[in-house]
Amino acid sequence: MPTKPTIFKRATVARSRLFRADEIQLRFSNGEQRTYEKLCSGGPGAVLIVPLLDENTVLLVREYAVGIEDYHLALPKGAIDAGEDLLQAANRELKEEVGYGARKLQFLKKINLSPAYMEHGINIVLAWDLYAERLEGDEPEPIEVVPFPLADLLSLVMRPDVCEGRSIAALFLAREWLAGRLPLTSPVVTPEAPVDEQ
């Protein structure tokens, strides 16, 4: 494993309502020096949820993405609020965007979006044993929920309206976990949920 470079100077060079960019001066172990810029994260992080309606059906959301100036189909996601852990945030975001809560949640993996210049990462959470519950969110318009069969995962990710790399990676991780090919050390969490009345 190589020796990590030494940071000898850091300064914020730009800031907006959502982003902060830092300039970082590094010295590598061989003496080379470089200046990099990176987008820094703020707050406690974010979650991306793979909600399973049943063992064969994933729930996606269609919403507007200003980065591509179009609607796209992706997994629900959102910021972790102060005081929440990532599984609580996942269940809340699921209720806000999809209209379901989960009786079972499994953390799969944290992935980084573009580690060469971004600090931002997102925690992938699998959610199943769903029950209907809607919380009010902060979306500017109603979100369309689209069920899709996991058996057709390849055709899903090849659609032109499925372009978000985080969602594509999460769907493949979920498929591997469901098939028993993704060993995890974190336990399945069962949050408190309403009891079904029969």
Side-chain angles (χ1 to χ4, degrees), residues 80-102:
I80 299 171
D81 288 343
E84 285 182 320
D85 66 33
L86 67 94
L87 296 178
Q88 290 168 329
N91 217 10
R92 176 187 48 75
E93 287 290 343
L94 187 61
K95 293 172 186 178
E96 290 176 1
E97 294 193 11
V98 183
Y100 284 96

Side-chain angles (χ1 to χ4, degrees), residues 29-50:
S29 60
N30 63 359
E32 285 291 318
Q33 294 185 21
R34 294 286 190 276
T35 300
Y36 291 92
E37 290 181 359
K38 79 170 186 175
L39 287 176
C40 301
S41 61
V47 291
L48 182 138
I49 308 102
V50 184

Side-chain angles (χ1 to χ4, degrees), residues 1-6 28-30:
M1 187 74 140
T3 303
K4 285 169 57 171
T6 302
F28 288 82
S29 60
N30 63 359

Side-chain angles (χ1 to χ4, degrees), residues 49-55 57-60 76 90-91 94-95 98-105 125-133 145 147 191 193-194 196:
I49 308 102
V50 184
L52 298 174
L53 187 60
D54 57 48
E55 63 185 24
T57 309
V58 64
L59 297 175
L60 300 141
N91 217 10
L94 187 61
K95 293 172 186 178
V98 183
Y100 284 96
R103 290 186 180 91
K104 296 196 173 153
L105 297 161
V125 176
L126 189 66
W128 72 102
D129 196 1
L130 304 182
Y131 58 91
E133 183 177 342
V145 177
D196 285 335

Side-chain angles (χ1 to χ4, degrees), residues 1-12:
M1 187 74 140
T3 303
K4 285 169 57 171
T6 302
I7 296 172
F8 62 89
K9 187 174 180 187
R10 166 183 249 149
T12 297

Side-chain angles (χ1 to χ4, degrees), residues 136-149:
E136 187 176 336
D138 59 359
E139 290 75 23
E141 62 182 356
I143 294 176
E144 178 187 357
V145 177
V146 180
F148 203 91

